[in-house]
Amino acid sequence: MPLYQQLILAMPKVSKPSLVRLFKNHTEIVLQAGGTVRGIEHHGVRPLPSRAKRKYISTTGERYFWDARFMTTTFDANPKVLAELGRLLRDDEAVLRYFTDKVPTKMDRTSAMNYKNPYGAIEK
């Protein structure tokens, strides 16, 4: 199973119980599909490079945000699980944006067509 790293941007004033509920649902989806969650990191509230707009107004009446709560999850999962996680994050009202990256492994790099072994062409 490939290793994925997911950056989640949430509203800055979201409550702790709603974040705990979000990550419990997130880990349940990954674990039920046979994957493993390697870590969940909270990076705090940071300013955004440009304002983020929600599709709908939040319960506090805000629609535009200049700050966001940054969180990172690292997990191994089947690629089909990403659709389910995307649905979960898209439907959660606390999440502003999310980005998913597949972390390249050494095997991916060596199997690439343009990879050249630095030790293969040693001349004596």
Side-chain angles (χ1 to χ4, degrees):
M1 284 187 220
L3 175 66
Y4 292 102
Q5 192 168 26
Q6 199 166 45
L7 176 67
I8 300 170
L9 304 177
M11 293 190 307
K13 295 180 183 177
V14 67
S15 65
K16 289 182 182 179
S18 66
L19 284 178
V20 170
R21 179 187 44 80
L22 171 69
F23 286 113
K24 278 186 179 181
N25 293 339
H26 189 282
T27 54
E28 281 178 13
I29 290 171
V30 173
L31 294 176
Q32 285 176 356
T36 58
V37 177
R38 293 188 182 195
I40 298 172
E41 299 176 17
H42 181 263
H43 303 290
V45 177
R46 296 182 178 187
L48 295 169
S50 63
R51 74 178 183 178
K53 179 181 175 184
R54 284 180 51 109
K55 187 173 182 179
Y56 303 108
I57 295 176
S58 67
T59 55
T60 59
E62 296 176 296
R63 188 168 186 169
Y64 299 100
F65 294 91
W66 290 97
D67 295 332
R69 187 171 299 277
F70 284 69
M71 296 158 291
T72 305
T73 60
T74 308
F75 57 93
D76 295 309
N78 192 351
K80 295 178 182 178
V81 175
L82 293 179
E84 182 77 17
L85 288 175
R87 184 196 56 76
L88 171 76
L89 294 172
R90 188 174 51 248
D91 292 344
D92 195 310
E93 64 183 31
V95 176
L96 293 174
R97 304 273 187 275
Y98 65 94
F99 307 96
T100 306
D101 265 349
K102 180 181 173 189
V103 178
T105 61
K106 290 181 182 178
M107 191 63 171
D108 293 335
R109 189 179 66 198
T110 57
S111 64
M113 296 298 283
N114 59 356
Y115 176 75
K116 294 183 180 168
N117 188 348
Y119 302 107
I122 297 177
E123 296 181 20
K124 294 184 179 182

